[in-house]
Short mmCIF file of all heavy atoms in Angstrom, two decimals:
data_model
loop_
_atom_site.label_atom_id
_atom_site.label_comp_id
_atom_site.label_asym_id
_atom_site.label_seq_id
_atom_site.Cartn_x
_atom_site.Cartn_y
_atom_site.Cartn_z
N VAL S 28 25.19 -65.66 -29.12
CA VAL S 28 25.97 -66.77 -28.60
C VAL S 28 25.09 -67.98 -28.34
O VAL S 28 25.40 -69.10 -28.73
CB VAL S 28 26.73 -66.35 -27.34
CG1 VAL S 28 27.31 -67.55 -26.61
CG2 VAL S 28 27.84 -65.35 -27.67
N VAL S 29 23.91 -67.77 -27.76
CA VAL S 29 22.99 -68.88 -27.44
C VAL S 29 22.54 -69.52 -28.74
O VAL S 29 22.51 -70.76 -28.85
CB VAL S 29 21.81 -68.37 -26.63
CG1 VAL S 29 20.75 -69.40 -26.57
CG2 VAL S 29 22.29 -68.00 -25.23
N LEU S 30 22.19 -68.74 -29.74
CA LEU S 30 21.76 -69.32 -31.00
C LEU S 30 22.89 -70.04 -31.70
O LEU S 30 22.68 -71.09 -32.35
CB LEU S 30 21.20 -68.19 -31.90
CG LEU S 30 19.88 -67.62 -31.51
CD1 LEU S 30 19.49 -66.47 -32.38
CD2 LEU S 30 18.78 -68.65 -31.52
N GLY S 31 24.12 -69.51 -31.60
CA GLY S 31 25.28 -70.22 -32.18
C GLY S 31 25.50 -71.57 -31.54
O GLY S 31 25.77 -72.55 -32.26
N VAL S 32 25.43 -71.60 -30.22
CA VAL S 32 25.66 -72.84 -29.48
C VAL S 32 24.58 -73.86 -29.86
O VAL S 32 24.84 -75.05 -30.09
CB VAL S 32 25.72 -72.62 -27.98
CG1 VAL S 32 25.64 -73.93 -27.19
CG2 VAL S 32 26.93 -71.81 -27.63
N ALA S 33 23.30 -73.40 -29.95
CA ALA S 33 22.21 -74.30 -30.31
C ALA S 33 22.39 -74.83 -31.72
O ALA S 33 22.16 -76.02 -31.98
CB ALA S 33 20.91 -73.55 -30.21
N SER S 34 22.87 -74.00 -32.64
CA SER S 34 23.13 -74.42 -33.99
C SER S 34 24.21 -75.49 -34.04
O SER S 34 24.09 -76.51 -34.75
CB SER S 34 23.47 -73.24 -34.90
OG SER S 34 23.84 -73.66 -36.17
N ILE S 35 25.28 -75.27 -33.34
CA ILE S 35 26.39 -76.23 -33.29
C ILE S 35 25.95 -77.55 -32.71
O ILE S 35 26.27 -78.64 -33.23
CB ILE S 35 27.58 -75.65 -32.52
CG1 ILE S 35 28.21 -74.49 -33.30
CG2 ILE S 35 28.63 -76.72 -32.20
CD1 ILE S 35 29.25 -73.72 -32.54
N GLN S 36 25.14 -77.50 -31.62
CA GLN S 36 24.62 -78.71 -30.98
C GLN S 36 23.77 -79.50 -31.99
O GLN S 36 23.83 -80.76 -32.04
CB GLN S 36 23.81 -78.38 -29.74
CG GLN S 36 23.32 -79.57 -28.97
CD GLN S 36 24.45 -80.44 -28.46
OE1 GLN S 36 25.51 -79.93 -28.07
NE2 GLN S 36 24.22 -81.72 -28.43
N THR S 37 22.96 -78.80 -32.74
CA THR S 37 22.06 -79.50 -33.71
C THR S 37 22.94 -80.18 -34.80
O THR S 37 22.65 -81.33 -35.15
CB THR S 37 21.13 -78.47 -34.39
OG1 THR S 37 20.36 -77.85 -33.37
CG2 THR S 37 20.24 -79.12 -35.40
N GLN S 38 23.95 -79.54 -35.27
CA GLN S 38 24.86 -80.13 -36.26
C GLN S 38 25.51 -81.32 -35.72
O GLN S 38 25.64 -82.33 -36.43
CB GLN S 38 25.88 -79.08 -36.75
CG GLN S 38 25.26 -77.96 -37.56
CD GLN S 38 24.70 -78.42 -38.89
OE1 GLN S 38 25.15 -79.41 -39.46
NE2 GLN S 38 23.64 -77.76 -39.35
#
Side-chain angles (χ1 to χ4, degrees):
V28 169
V29 168
L30 289 174
V32 169
S34 174
I35 291 170
Q36 182 64 34
T37 301
Q38 291 294 330

